[in-house]
Amino acid sequence: KKQKEELFNSDEYKTFYEENKEWLKPYAVFCFLRDKYHTSDYNLWEEDRVYNSKRIDQYCQPKHKNYEDIAIHFFTQYHLDKQLSDSVKYLHEKGIAIKGDIPIGVNKNSVDVWVQPELFDCSGCAGAPPDYFAKTGQIWGFPIYNWNLMEKDNYAWWEKRFKKMARHFDAYRIDHILGFFRIFRIPSNVRLGLLGQFVPALPMSEKEIEKYNLGITKKEFCTPIITDEIIEKIAGKEFSELIKDDYLTSLKDGRYELKKAYSTHEKIESKFCGKTAKEKKIAEILMLLTCQVYFVEDYKEKGKYHPRIAIEQSPLYETLDNTKKKSIKELYDYYYYLRHNEFWKAEAMKKLSSLIGSTEMMVCGEDLGMVPPCVPSVMEELEILSLEIQRMPKELFVEYGSLKRVEYPTVCTTSTHDMSTMRQWWEEDKGSTQRYYSNELKHFGPAPFYCEPWVCQQIIENHLETKAAWVILPLQDWLSISGELRWEKTQSERINDPSNADNYWRYRMHITLEELNKSKWFNLQIKSMIEGSGRG
């Protein structure tokens, strides 16, 4: 109590409180109510389920009965801010620049959404289209933004975030910068990203689709096409007959439809939630069957359609004749790679130009995934550093990107927090590893089974020698060059797996900073590698 009174009466704290009270007061009350009701779902907070600024002011009065429980969050945030500020000052004195991170999304049960629900669309959630790492896409769970409303006050909500970052950081990374061009929206009742759509977008009318002579009726646009061939491709011989007998209804034209009790992802999930491995497999098959559609109807404009994402990798596409495949591919390529170029470019320029200009920080963009052709020109015009990862090449039809082709305005890295670490990746696909060992590292003979320290060192040195403005590597990959310091639990090193809700941000250093500091060989080795590359 004495410590609190001394702090709250200090000029330093009063300055902090005045400068930050706009977000600090709602945040502190949010934390109190979350703990009071044992849930962050503010819809369950009785009279406080709807944000009320007057009630917030009342809660934050020293005379309020719950003030102590609220003020502890003022106290905590002050000290966190002070510790971060002191750390940054120390690092700056050592000539070290600090790079922060701007996440693309917020939790739907967060103080941001509680305070300004009008800025968020919670009818669906953001995610990512299917890719090499997640064949059915990723569902992130956070709401998408009401950009039209945000535009009316010149994106003030975003600008406040950027300016707050500028208090502590010299540079920042915009997480999933593609979200400022368009973001992938997945309906709240859907469990696979295959049925998502980009927002904003220019969906196609029925007349536009007819020009491609697909040979399908409007009724077939969004109706799952289920045939014996498709069932066997998805279910395999082991489950095909079971699926047909118990979960499908046979139609007169030789096709099938899902029984009403299993016609949506929500229904399927409710039937099989927490069941056996066999039943989970059946649920997976049924969900994939619902995704065998040509189009997804726009969630706002009825009668307008988006080609189903990644349709060329679908069992439905595999069963089509070459003429229909060609027509669908032409439509798909036009829609995702030509139709939106200028539209998405304008969307990004409108949002990013003013926000980037609001601070003097250097800007880096995480431009990975299904990248629209307009992205590089926008990043170049706004002087945003691109992200380069050799095993996620931006060149078409290559397995690994060329480090020699990495340009200066980039951040080059071996892996990110959303990917497997260097050692994990080495063990994922032995065929790919061998090709990397032979073609990229230029070694003869079979690749080592494990990513040995000398291999890790060579990979890192190759990255350090690129023309990239910055080479920023995960701690796990740096430690991999030391047989003594690297963690024996290789498969526990990953920080986050966006496609797996049970694997997120659980990694912790297996050694202390004090131990790391005492390892003279390791520190000298890093120093030598950095200086040898000309980056020292």
Side-chain angles (χ1 to χ4, degrees):
K1 183 176 180 180
K2 181 180 179 182
Q3 187 180 14
K4 182 200 76 173
E5 290 176 354
E6 289 178 354
L7 174 66
F8 284 13
N9 288 323
S10 69
D11 292 337
E12 191 174 4
Y13 170 79
K14 290 177 181 178
T15 299
F16 167 80
Y17 184 86
E18 285 301 315
E19 290 179 350
N20 295 280
K21 64 182 179 181
E22 181 182 1
W23 66 265
L24 183 61
K25 290 164 65 176
Y27 172 77
V29 175
F30 180 92
C31 292
F32 162 69
L33 293 170
R34 175 200 62 202
D35 297 342
K36 174 184 176 182
Y37 290 102
H38 306 290
T39 177
S40 59
D41 184 351
Y42 52 83
N43 294 297
L44 304 176
W45 289 355
E46 298 176 359
E47 67 267 34
D48 284 306
R49 64 185 182 278
V50 176
Y51 176 79
N52 184 311
S53 59
K54 291 183 178 179
R55 284 182 64 82
I56 296 297
D57 289 337
Q58 291 170 0
Y59 271 118
C60 294
Q61 293 298 321
K63 293 182 180 180
H64 193 279
K65 63 180 182 179
N66 299 117
Y67 179 73
E68 294 290 328
D69 295 323
I70 292 166
I72 186 63
H73 299 291
F74 299 157
F75 181 90
T76 303
Q77 290 301 311
Y78 165 80
H79 281 289
L80 289 173
D81 182 85
K82 180 175 173 54
Q83 288 171 12
L84 181 57
S85 298
D86 291 345
S87 298
V88 169
K89 182 181 178 182
Y90 172 82
L91 291 168
H92 281 171
E93 290 171 351
K94 300 294 182 181
I96 299 173
I98 309 299
K99 179 169 170 274
D101 195 80
I102 293 280
I104 187 61
V106 299
N107 193 293
K108 66 179 180 179
N109 293 325
S110 65
V111 64
D112 296 272
V113 183
W114 182 52
V115 173
Q116 293 181 280
E118 68 279 3
L119 299 182
F120 304 90
D121 178 357
C122 295
S123 65
C125 71
D131 57 21
Y132 174 81
F133 300 99
K135 300 299 183 184
T136 59
Q138 300 172 19
I139 298 179
W140 297 335
F142 55 75
I144 63 174
Y145 298 105
N146 187 343
W147 289 113
N148 291 333
L149 189 59
M150 285 183 162
E151 185 182 3
K152 291 182 178 180
D153 63 3
N154 201 28
Y155 310 103
W157 182 85
W158 280 99
E159 186 173 327
K160 290 172 186 174
R161 301 182 90 197
F162 280 54
K163 287 185 174 179
K164 185 64 179 176
M165 289 282 292
R167 283 174 49 88
H168 302 292
F169 301 101
D170 308 292
Y172 62 94
R173 183 197 77 129
I174 300 177
D175 171 47
H176 192 62
I177 197 171
L178 304 183
F180 285 87
F181 292 77
R182 80 293 183 273
I183 202 153
F184 198 61
R185 177 190 181 274
I186 300 161
S188 57
N189 61 349
V190 167
R191 301 297 177 264
L192 298 179
L194 294 169
L195 297 180
Q197 58 188 257
F198 284 115
V199 179
L202 304 170
M204 301 180 76
S205 67
E206 184 181 353
K207 286 186 177 181
E208 287 180 291
I209 294 170
E210 287 175 352
K211 294 177 182 177
Y212 286 86
N213 299 313
L214 301 180
I216 60 176
T217 65
K218 181 180 179 181
K219 184 180 179 182
E220 293 177 304
F221 280 7
C222 304
T223 301
I225 308 298
I226 305 175
T227 64
D228 286 313
E229 187 177 0
I230 289 173
I231 293 168
E232 187 164 332
K233 285 182 178 296
I234 293 175
K237 292 183 180 180
E238 181 184 356
F239 288 94
S240 290
E241 294 306 316
L242 173 66
I243 294 294
K244 284 189 248 184
D245 292 342
D246 293 353
Y247 305 102
L248 303 178
T249 300
S250 180
L251 303 176
K252 293 181 180 179
D253 61 1
R255 295 180 182 178
Y256 301 84
E257 67 178 6
L258 287 149
K259 291 181 178 179
K260 287 186 177 181
Y262 306 97
S263 59
T264 69
H265 288 187
E266 270 189 325
K267 291 178 180 179
I268 296 168
E269 186 177 59
S270 67
K271 293 285 185 180
F272 294 99
C273 183
K275 301 294 183 178
T276 64
K278 179 181 178 181
E279 289 176 318
K280 287 180 180 178
K281 177 64 177 177
I282 293 171
E284 178 188 336
I285 292 168
L286 296 178
M287 287 188 184
L288 285 171
L289 288 174
T290 70
C291 298
Q292 304 312 304
V293 296
Y294 293 106
F295 295 94
V296 173
E297 189 171 26
D298 189 78
Y299 79 111
K300 286 186 177 179
E301 293 187 78
K302 300 304 176 185
K304 295 287 187 74
Y305 304 91
H306 307 255
R308 204 218 77 174
I309 200 76
I311 194 169
E312 290 180 72
Q313 284 77 51
S314 71
L316 169 60
Y317 185 82
E318 290 179 38
T319 64
L320 303 177
D321 60 50
N322 289 334
T323 300
K324 189 171 285 189
K325 282 181 178 178
K326 182 180 178 182
S327 297
I328 288 176
K329 181 169 174 53
E330 287 177 357
L331 181 151
Y332 187 95
D333 288 348
Y334 161 71
Y335 187 82
Y336 285 110
Y337 299 107
L338 295 174
R339 181 181 179 93
H340 293 91
N341 268 348
E342 293 305 314
F343 176 68
W344 282 338
K345 180 176 182 177
E347 285 292 320
M349 290 298 295
K350 184 168 56 177
K351 299 162 190 168
L352 289 171
S353 56
S354 62
L355 293 176
I356 287 173
S358 66
T359 77
E360 296 182 356
M361 290 185 290
M362 181 181 287
V363 190
C364 313
E366 187 253 308
D367 53 337
L368 303 177
M370 190 175 177
V371 182
C374 60
V375 172
S377 63
V378 170
M379 294 183 69
E380 182 179 356
E381 185 173 343
L382 297 178
E383 299 182 339
I384 302 172
L385 301 187
S386 176
L387 180 61
E388 291 290 342
I389 302 175
Q390 191 177 22
R391 54 180 152 133
M392 289 188 70
K394 291 172 182 172
E395 303 101 316
L396 295 175
F397 313 118
V398 297
E399 187 172 18
Y400 296 107
S402 171
L403 293 178
K404 292 182 180 179
R405 294 177 60 184
V406 172
E407 299 295 334
Y408 178 76
T410 58
V411 176
C412 190
T413 187
T414 48
S415 55
T416 74
H417 59 276
D418 285 332
M419 300 167 63
S420 53
T421 61
M422 199 159 61
R423 290 196 296 152
Q424 288 175 325
W425 158 74
W426 190 267
E427 299 175 25
E428 287 172 356
D429 183 336
K430 288 302 177 182
S432 179
T433 298
Q434 182 63 57
R435 291 189 293 275
Y436 185 85
Y437 183 74
S438 302
N439 302 331
E440 304 302 324
L441 299 184
K442 308 298 183 184
H443 291 295
F444 295 101
F449 185 86
Y450 298 109
C451 200
E452 303 294 346
W454 64 269
V455 176
C456 295
Q457 181 171 332
Q458 183 181 354
I459 294 173
I460 290 176
E461 286 176 340
N462 289 349
H463 282 72
L464 289 172
E465 290 169 3
T466 63
K467 296 178 183 177
W470 283 7
V471 175
I472 303 176
L473 310 180
L475 174 69
Q476 301 95 307
D477 289 354
W478 276 118
L479 291 173
S480 69
I481 69 173
S482 168
E484 295 180 359
L485 294 181
R486 55 165 49 188
W487 198 12
E488 61 182 19
K489 297 181 180 179
T490 306
Q491 299 308 316
S492 298
E493 285 192 321
R494 184 165 182 159
I495 294 175
N496 183 49
D497 181 351
S499 64
N500 181 358
D502 294 325
N503 184 330
Y504 53 90
W505 304 100
R506 292 179 179 174
Y507 169 77
R508 296 293 183 270
M509 286 176 62
H510 65 287
I511 57 176
T512 65
L513 288 174
E514 289 75 14
E515 290 175 294
L516 192 58
N517 195 42
K518 289 178 182 178
S519 182
K520 293 183 179 180
W521 178 90
F522 175 71
N523 293 310
L524 287 173
Q525 185 71 2
I526 289 179
K527 181 180 179 181
S528 174
M529 290 167 65
I530 292 173
E531 290 179 344
S533 68
R535 293 183 178 274

